[in-house]
């Protein structure tokens, strides 16, 4: 059921120094920061009528993490979810038998599930399963999930919109590798792709999540009215684009490949997200806020930023430029970026991280 | 929930020339040969009352393959199961909405799930999930499976019984690496381990399979009254044991390591299996027969036998002897075994493959 067009590259696998497992401290902080909103949301909004009504009288509660990568962040998040659900359950049904949890870890097929499985702890309180495939299509049978979770995955588009790499299109993104917000037609193309992808995601999850079930989404975004080009993250991406152009000029990598390269990512505003969710119509927004955390305001260590960037983008770059050129690019970028430390840390704005709690409408 | 003591080695991963994927034609033939018994069994014995009674009115049918390895055999088996279940369902409920299938592929954590997931076909008619962990303990929430399947996995013990590698025990298996059946105390120790393991397996599955749900077991065994030492498979194992002794004498590998090496496998008779299942009490035996197939009577090509042997045992040998010595052992065995072609093909008996269809009792 994997779509050929879809995002197929994954975070760097294994647990070595270049792995996502070792280079995802930012995403880890988000899990911690989101915990309060998430636990409160579960406490206030979760209802147990449905999960416990199956014929066997045993209560199985099914959780899925969409875009889990290789851990350990996903394990931390899942444990926090289970803790909150159990607390609510025990308060509501004092004398009922304990619930059993089944947790599904989803990511694209290229994800390193072997490492994910090997790092699952033996003492875990749930039954685990891995589910390979793009979350922009159906992955589970109808009405079988009670709580869905997706952290820092949904700003990844299923694909780069065709127009932005088409030199004949008014949306041609010449001179940039991202939706930096300054070119209107480019922004329109990226935004339309994001809407299509989110719609597919919400539609698929609406079929899989039971009526009344919850979905927690953490997603990178922008404050209203701020352009990607004005944020540290945007400046960092532009810098990477300049590095690619530099290498093409030196004849180290193909100019054509650089021209056809764009990041399949889109940072949306709260307003935009709200519009998409309301228009989709299957979920009700129970909570929506931005996550405030100290890392946002910290001076960024360029070397750490680059190693995190590599853990995320290596697969994508290897797919586009080939393995050898991808290696060369990261090597060059390390030297290249050091000269721009002040530019990078002089950004006037930061992106935001949206926290959204949705409830599946009861049909 | 993985037990430290448990079998943790897996079939050779990937899809290269030495992979299990490329060296499991015997197991593949079994899938085909078992299909008739399995399809008939599903047709006669499957009841749909339970799977369809959930609150959402959508019918999800859950299948699990215990000990799936990396495919493609598991995919073939699963497709045959789904075909039989759908046929029965359509005949019984002409106007009902189609069922949705969720298939869980289980094997030990060391199994190459990445390869398994990459070789899943896009056109598959089910939602797939991988479940890591030993099947000698619980892997699924209570009463959530409708049909369990396990092919050529349950003759693997969770461990070699301690006594057979203890020089002070009357069950010390000196001079052999398997339960060849000639030493009574050794056979008793192996048989007791098999019983303990099967009991654990049946107990765990009894909790996971809904009342009335089915379980198909295909398992290597022996005809009543025949010893392992009299069969081709047994002679092949003895030959491998002699090869190890030969290498220890030459000083290539450690004698102590050879003495402490035994195969964690046990081939049971139909009578023994029947006793264990009846004693366990959670399942009713709906069908039990041996699978008859031409490969049993074929002259065995020693080279092919060795490459199949390697695909299965490499992980185990690497764990016991280390990676380098395991390589040396397989190299030596290739030459060693060629001299014994006639011994190997002169066996008076063959092992059998049992087919068992069980139904979970309704509590």
């Amino acid at each position: 059921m994997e779509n050929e067009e879809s995002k197929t590259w994954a975070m760097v696998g294994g647990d070595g120094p270049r792995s996502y497992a070792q280079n995802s401290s930012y995403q880890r902080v988000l899990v911690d920061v989101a915990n309060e909103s998430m636990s409160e949301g579960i406490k206030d909004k979760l209802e147990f009528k449905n999960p416990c009504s199956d014929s066997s009288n045993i209560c199985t509660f099914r959780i899925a993490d969409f875009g889990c990568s290789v851990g350990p962040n996903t394990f931390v998040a899942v444990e926090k979810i289970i803790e909150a659900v159990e607390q609510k359950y025990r308060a509501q049904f004092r004398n009922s038998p304990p619930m059993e949890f089944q947790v599904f870890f989803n990511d694209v097929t290229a994800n390193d599930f072997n490492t994910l499985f090997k790092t699952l702890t033996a003492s875990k309180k749930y039954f685990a399963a891995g589910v390979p495939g793009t979350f922009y299509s159906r992955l589970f049978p109808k009405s079988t999930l009670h709580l869905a979770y997706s952290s820092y995955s949904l700003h990844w588009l299923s694909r780069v919109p065709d127009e932005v790499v088409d030199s004949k299109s008014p949306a041609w993104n010449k001179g940039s590798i991202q939706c930096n917000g300054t070119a209107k037609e480019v922004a329109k193309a990226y935004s339309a792709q994001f809407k299509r992808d989110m719609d597919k995601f919400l539609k698929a999850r609406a079929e899989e999540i039971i009526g009344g079930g919850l979905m927690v989404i953490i997603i990178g975004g922008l404050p209203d009215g701020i352009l990607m080009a004005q944020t540290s993250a945007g400046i960092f991406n532009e810098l990477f684009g300049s590095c690619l152009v530099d290498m093409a000029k030196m004849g180290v990598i193909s100019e054509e490949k650089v021209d056809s390269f764009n990041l399949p990512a889109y940072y949306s505003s709260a307003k935009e997200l709200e519009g998409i969710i309301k228009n989709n119509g299957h979920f009700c927004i129970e909570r929506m806020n931005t996550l405030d955390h100290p890392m946002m305001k910290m001076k960024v260590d360029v070397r750490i930023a680059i190693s995190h960037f590599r853990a995320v983008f290596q697969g994508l770059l290897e797919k586009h430029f080939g393995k050898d050129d991808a290696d060369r690019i990261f090597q060059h970028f390390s030297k290249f970026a050091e000269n721009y430390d002040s530019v990078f840390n002089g950004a006037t704005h930061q992106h935001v991280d949206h926290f959204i709690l949705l409830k599946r409408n009861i049909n």
Side-chain angles (χ1 to χ4, degrees), chain A residues 36-341:
Chain A
E36 202 186 317
S37 297
M38 192 169 73
S39 299
E40 268 178 26
I42 288 171
K43 196 178 153 202
D44 293 350
K45 301 298 178 185
L46 186 64
E47 289 161 56
F48 281 111
K49 231 171 81 188
N50 284 315
C52 293
S53 67
D54 72 3
S55 54
S56 63
N57 289 324
I58 302 296
C59 196
T60 298
F61 193 91
R62 291 190 185 85
I63 297 163
D65 181 357
F66 293 90
C68 63
S69 188
V70 288
N73 296 347
T74 183
F75 305 137
V76 179
V78 157
E79 268 155 39
K80 286 178 193 292
I81 291 169
I82 290 178
E83 207 177 295
V85 173
E86 270 191 328
Q87 221 160 22
K88 170 96 192 218
Y89 181 77
R90 274 198 305 264
Q92 200 171 331
F93 306 99
R94 275 171 202 284
N95 299 317
S96 290
M99 271 193 299
E100 291 191 334
F101 291 89
Q102 188 170 33
V103 177
F104 296 92
F105 296 96
N106 159 255
D107 211 313
V108 292
T109 304
N111 186 50
D112 187 356
F113 285 96
N114 287 350
T115 294
L116 178 82
F117 288 166
K118 273 167 202 156
T119 46
L120 272 169
T121 53
S123 62
K124 67 191 186 325
K125 293 165 75 178
Y126 52 87
F127 299 105
V131 173
T134 170
F135 52 47
Y136 292 124
S137 67
R138 284 281 304 281
L139 292 164
F140 294 92
K142 274 183 191 149
S143 303
T144 55
L145 296 179
H146 303 104
L147 194 150
Y149 173 87
S150 182
S151 182
Y152 242 60
S153 301
L154 276 163
H155 52 273
W156 296 117
L157 302 176
S158 71
R159 54 179 304 173
V160 171
D162 288 336
E163 311 91 283
V164 306
V165 288
D166 175 3
S167 63
K168 284 170 207 137
S169 163
W172 186 31
N173 196 17
K174 189 167 165 51
S176 178
I177 59 159
Q178 68 174 335
C179 177
N180 66 26
T182 55
K184 251 194 183 163
E185 292 295 329
V186 174
K188 233 168 84 180
Y190 263 102
S191 163
Q193 183 64 45
F194 179 70
K195 190 182 176 316
R196 278 195 296 275
D197 284 341
M198 275 299 280
D199 260 344
K200 277 190 200 164
F201 178 83
L202 293 171
K203 208 179 147 216
R205 299 302 83 77
E207 299 222 52
E208 296 163 357
I209 298 171
I210 61 157
L214 299 181
M215 176 145 69
V216 173
I217 293 173
I218 298 162
I219 180 170
L222 291 170
D224 279 334
I226 301 300
L227 306 181
M228 193 67 181
Q230 297 171 289
T231 68
S232 302
I235 291 170
F236 190 84
N237 292 344
E238 289 299 317
L239 211 58
F240 186 69
S242 306
C243 169
L244 293 179
V245 171
D246 194 46
M247 290 179 77
K249 272 185 193 152
M250 296 191 302
V252 183
I253 55 173
S254 132
E255 197 180 330
E256 197 197 323
K257 287 258 177 200
V258 172
D259 280 345
S260 63
F261 182 74
N262 263 244
L263 296 176
Y266 182 76
Y267 279 48
S268 51
S269 69
K271 220 165 113 182
E272 205 170 358
L273 279 165
E274 208 185 314
I276 293 171
I277 295 164
K278 286 192 172 160
N279 187 60
N280 171 277
H282 293 300
F283 294 91
C284 156
I285 301 175
E286 297 286 359
R287 225 175 214 267
M288 189 160 178
N289 52 269
T290 56
L291 297 171
D292 201 24
H293 50 93
M295 259 178 132
M296 276 289 192
K297 287 146 204 153
M298 265 165 66
K299 186 177 178 306
V300 178
D301 182 320
V302 176
R303 272 176 315 159
I304 293 178
I306 291 171
S307 69
H308 285 207
F309 185 80
R310 179 170 191 155
V312 172
F313 286 105
Q314 184 171 302
L316 175 71
L317 286 186
E318 285 180 356
K319 216 183 142 203
H320 190 84
F321 291 99
K323 200 174 154 17
D324 293 343
D325 277 355
D327 271 349
R328 280 185 205 109
I329 290 167
F330 286 115
Q331 264 168 22
H332 190 68
F333 188 44
S334 295
K335 287 175 253 155
F336 188 88
E338 274 177 23
N339 303 325
Y340 293 92
D341 195 345

